[in-house]
Amino acid sequence: EYAEFLHCKSKKFTDFDEVRQEIEAETDRVTGTNKGISPVPINLRVYSPHVLNLTLIDLPGITKVPVGDQPQDIEYQIKEMILQFISRESSLILAVTPANMDLANSDALKMAKEVDPQGLRTIGVITKLDLMDEGTDARDVLENKLLPLRRGYIGVVNRSQKDIDGKKDIRAALAAERKFFLSHPAYRHMADRMGTPHLQKVLNQQLTNHIRETLPSLRSKLQSQLLSLEKEVEEYKNFRPDDPTRKTKALLQMVQQFGVDFEKRIEGSGDQVDTLELSGGARINRIFHERFPFELVKMEFDEKDLRREISYAIKNIHGVRQVPLAPIPTGLFTPDLAFEAIVKKQVVKLKEPCLKCVDLVIQELINTVRQCTSKPSRRRSVLPVGPPDAVTSFQILLLIDIELSYINTNHEDFIGFANAQQRNTQTNKKRAIPNQGVGKEVGLGGKHGIPRFYRSREPRSARAGAPRRAGAGQGWGEPLRWLLDRVSRWLLRGTGRGEAPQTFPSRARRWLRNSRTEAEVAKRSRGGFLSASVGSRRCSAVPEQTENEDGAQENTFSMDPQLERQVETIRNLVDSYVAIINKSIRDLMPKTIMHLMINN
């Protein structure tokens, strides 16, 4: 009989007292003399005809409170050490629990259940049966009734510390153990299934059966490893360090690994997760769903300028023909070309935020490439190709051009002409605020110079005989009443003399422009479209556009009510259609970038 240690292979120990001393000396060398711990095992091989062919790993007990030189996380370190061994599917677990301790509080059984929930690899070992209080026993536990295990429990009685110090012989200890089980009334009927010799026999038998069950999978695993190793050896048979193909292969392997790392960072499945900030695919996702919609919303435009553009578009489309009084049933409505022109102008503005989104994604891809190539082994080996930004930008612009190619007014989300008019009517009702003038001064000015609703406080009988021309009678009321009467007829789409609605404003303007007190009336005016001054027979109106000395038009703008209604209707239609385009672009942009840039 002899023993060998792995750390001193050349020496054979025939005295087992020296074996115990070497174990203690090696423990002190590795962990120190003050109860330190180390995961490095002490490998001891015993050769004897009296021992079974078993490999036993004696794991430390679970310590919860550090003592001596033990680290503060001693419990965590020991648990990790134990799990490293008992997690292997090819090993059996001996869950050792003292009999004088409640089985439900056993740390060994708890950890064994974590890695072996079905109990297929766990054998329960109950120790210190001779130290239980009088009148108590572990019969229910040993009969596998209290906490059942598939492989059952085995009770043993070890030497006491006094026996160890007195160097009691192992054979004598085994005889004392046998006598204990035969003489104890609770264990007498199961004595042949208790004790250390039975535990050795069970271990040998169950380990043999366990190896037989796990051998096929172990064999196939070894065969696959052998084939891979043989293939690698075959490659190195004719190896030449100066062979350029080796460098090419190494470069291809680096590029391949770079591709795997890049994909993991984009998909978010990498083994290193950044917990401090967003990175990789998460930043691109934020660009798609936060930054790009913000860039679209940020595209502000001047409402006044937009309405002016719509007005000019309507007038320019009709040319020398006058704008009709009402929409005609054919087509969208009369100025449908104006609608298309304004819509296309708004859609073209989407190109800038779309291209900005592409640039932001490109920058994030470049940052991800830099992170993937930050490893020292790749810094000088891999030169990644830049993302195909030109192709993607062309396709993004193509999306906008596709939207410009056809204005789909039959879209299910488009409000249509009738709804736009209805919305226009509701808006005008909200704007209509009656004036409160009582004769001294009457203001008809509104938003964009549109005449507001007015009401004379004189009875209809008093207004019935009013003269029809300016200057008839004395005082300020007669010319003003005449002027208001003409405005009311104009608003009702007729002047009473068969004139077109546009005729009166121009005639009134020419008449008012000749007023000698125009400057005075304008000074007293409170910003209305028309104003009348007490004691004056002349009235003043602010024209649509006035010219300065150089002939340039000042930035004032107004339009007649019919044109204003058409402008408001087109404005509502443009709003509806641009919202449809924005929704479509917000959906297609991420898909296009993912397909053409990131996936490629």
Side-chain angles (χ1 to χ4, degrees), residues 5 65 83-84 98 164 184 186 279 290 336 395 412 528 553 587-588:
F5 285 95
V65 179
L83 289 173
Q84 180 182 355
I164 296 174
H184 198 287
S279 62
E290 294 182 19
D336 52 354
Q395 294 293 336
E412 58 182 3
Q553 294 179 346
D587 180 57
L588 289 176

Side-chain angles (χ1 to χ4, degrees), residues 59 74 115 136 149 218 233 241 261 314 317 321 352 462 471 478:
L59 297 171
I74 179 69
V115 297
T136 61
L149 288 176
L218 182 62
V233 169
D261 292 346
I314 294 174
I317 287 171
R321 299 163 295 169
E352 182 178 353
E478 294 178 0

Side-chain angles (χ1 to χ4, degrees), residues 24-308:
E24 293 176 0
E26 180 66 14
T27 302
D28 292 341
R29 280 194 294 267
V30 176
T31 63
T33 59
N34 196 12
K35 301 184 182 301
I37 66 167
S38 172
V40 180
I42 299 176
N43 290 274
L44 170 65
R45 186 181 292 266
V46 178
Y47 298 87
S48 171
H50 306 295
V51 296
L52 295 173
N53 189 12
L54 290 175
T55 300
L56 294 176
I57 302 173
D58 181 25
L59 297 171
I62 301 175
T63 303
K64 298 184 180 296
V65 179
V67 294
D69 292 336
Q70 294 177 346
Q72 294 298 319
D73 59 343
I74 179 69
E75 181 182 5
Y76 173 78
Q77 288 190 22
I78 290 180
K79 282 187 176 181
E80 288 296 314
M81 188 192 310
I82 293 173
L83 289 173
Q84 180 182 355
F85 288 97
I86 67 176
S87 299
R88 300 171 184 171
E89 293 293 332
S90 59
S91 64
L92 292 178
I93 304 170
L94 297 184
V96 182
T97 305
N100 58 0
M101 172 185 173
D102 188 2
L103 199 64
N105 297 328
S106 172
D107 291 327
L109 286 173
K110 179 183 176 183
M111 293 189 66
K113 193 172 183 180
E114 291 179 5
V115 297
D116 183 29
Q118 303 298 327
L120 302 177
R121 300 187 291 116
T122 304
I123 301 174
V125 178
I126 306 298
T127 63
K128 301 182 181 180
L129 290 170
D130 56 333
L131 300 180
M132 295 185 70
D133 295 337
E134 293 184 5
T136 61
D137 57 62
R139 180 174 177 177
D140 291 342
V141 175
L142 295 174
E143 289 180 349
N144 207 17
K145 294 179 180 179
L146 184 62
L147 193 65
L149 288 176
R150 299 283 287 271
R151 297 180 183 266
Y153 293 87
I154 299 175
V156 297
V157 177
N158 297 327
R159 291 180 300 173
S160 65
Q161 188 62 41
K162 181 181 178 181
D163 295 336
I164 296 174
D165 295 339
K167 298 183 179 180
K168 184 177 181 180
D169 187 70
I170 295 293
R171 293 179 180 86
L174 293 177
E177 180 188 45
R178 177 69 176 170
K179 181 179 178 182
F180 172 80
F181 284 112
L182 288 173
S183 61
H184 198 287
Y187 311 128
R188 188 181 304 153
H189 67 288
M190 62 178 79
D192 57 337
R193 292 184 284 113
M194 297 292 117
T196 304
H198 180 71
L199 177 60
Q200 293 176 340
K201 180 180 177 182
V202 169
L203 280 178
N204 185 44
Q205 180 182 358
Q206 295 199 10
L207 185 61
T208 303
N209 295 336
H210 186 64
I211 291 174
R212 187 183 294 114
E213 294 172 358
T214 58
L215 191 59
S217 60
L218 182 62
R219 181 181 178 183
S220 61
K221 181 180 179 181
L222 290 175
Q223 284 180 342
S224 63
Q225 290 180 350
L226 180 61
L227 290 174
S228 63
L229 288 175
E230 288 178 349
K231 184 178 179 180
E232 188 173 354
V233 169
E234 192 69 26
E235 292 179 359
Y236 281 98
K237 279 184 178 180
N238 301 319
F239 174 73
R240 295 198 313 272
D242 58 344
D243 188 359
T245 60
R246 302 298 303 175
K247 298 180 181 179
T248 304
K249 183 177 180 180
L251 178 61
L252 291 176
Q253 289 177 347
M254 292 178 187
V255 173
Q256 184 180 11
Q257 186 61 40
F258 162 77
V260 172
D261 292 346
F262 183 81
E263 183 177 358
K264 285 183 177 180
R265 289 183 180 273
I266 295 297
E267 296 294 335
S269 58
D271 51 352
Q272 296 180 352
V273 179
D274 193 345
T275 58
L276 301 178
E277 62 179 358
L278 294 179
S279 62
R283 295 179 66 90
I284 295 176
N285 182 70
R286 186 174 66 175
I287 293 174
F288 286 159
H289 302 291
E290 294 182 19
R291 184 64 185 272
F292 179 57
F294 170 74
E295 292 295 333
L296 292 179
V297 173
K298 201 172 65 174
M299 289 175 50
E300 297 179 352
F301 53 86
D302 187 80
E303 184 72 23
K304 186 176 180 181
D305 291 341
L306 179 60
R307 293 177 183 274
R308 180 184 289 109

Side-chain angles (χ1 to χ4, degrees), residues 104 110 456 591:
K110 179 183 176 183
S456 174
K591 295 178 180 178

Side-chain angles (χ1 to χ4, degrees), residues 392-576:
T392 308
S393 300
F394 173 77
Q395 294 293 336
I396 294 301
L397 296 179
L398 184 60
L399 285 179
I400 305 298
D401 293 337
I402 289 172
E403 295 290 352
L404 291 171
S405 65
Y406 179 63
I407 307 299
N408 182 19
T409 55
N410 291 324
H411 195 280
E412 58 182 3
D413 295 335
F414 188 57
I415 60 173
F417 175 66
N419 292 332
Q421 272 196 324
Q422 184 178 2
R423 186 180 298 180
N424 185 15
T425 304
Q426 293 173 355
T427 304
N428 289 337
K429 285 182 179 179
K430 293 180 181 178
R431 290 179 181 174
I433 303 175
N435 282 307
Q436 303 298 326
V438 195
K440 289 186 178 181
E441 194 169 293
V442 181
L444 299 178
K447 190 175 181 181
H448 305 294
I450 304 172
R452 287 198 190 121
F453 174 80
Y454 71 93
R455 179 178 62 190
S456 174
R457 301 243 173 152
E458 299 181 24
R460 180 171 296 186
S461 58
R463 290 184 280 116
R468 291 290 182 181
R469 68 182 187 277
Q474 301 294 326
W476 65 273
E478 294 178 0
L480 178 61
R481 195 177 300 115
W482 172 84
L483 184 60
L484 294 181
D485 183 71
R486 302 288 286 186
V487 170
S488 65
R489 291 174 178 269
W490 169 63
L491 290 177
L492 295 175
R493 299 177 181 174
T495 59
R497 299 179 182 178
E499 298 175 355
Q502 289 80 6
T503 307
F504 168 70
S506 58
R507 292 181 58 193
R509 256 185 238 109
R510 287 197 301 272
W511 180 78
L512 292 171
R513 195 176 289 121
N514 296 327
S515 171
R516 298 177 182 177
T517 59
E518 180 177 351
E520 178 185 353
V521 175
K523 183 178 180 181
R524 296 184 185 183
S525 171
R526 289 197 292 251
F529 178 79
L530 291 176
S531 60
S533 178
V534 179
S536 172
R537 296 192 177 197
R538 307 281 180 110
C539 297
S540 175
V542 181
E544 285 189 1
Q545 295 176 344
T546 58
E547 295 187 358
N548 55 22
E549 295 179 358
D550 299 331
Q553 294 179 346
E554 296 181 359
N555 190 20
T556 57
F557 184 74
S558 63
M559 62 185 82
D560 58 75
Q562 173 60 32
L563 182 59
E564 173 67 16
R565 282 193 293 273
Q566 288 192 352
V567 168
E568 186 68 24
T569 301
I570 294 182
R571 178 71 183 86
N572 293 334
L573 294 172
V574 170
D575 249 354
S576 173

Side-chain angles (χ1 to χ4, degrees), residues 292 295-296 299 349-358:
F292 179 57
E295 292 295 333
L296 292 179
M299 289 175 50
K349 294 180 181 179
L350 296 176
K351 291 184 177 181
E352 182 178 353
C354 289
L355 293 177
K356 187 173 183 179
C357 179
V358 174

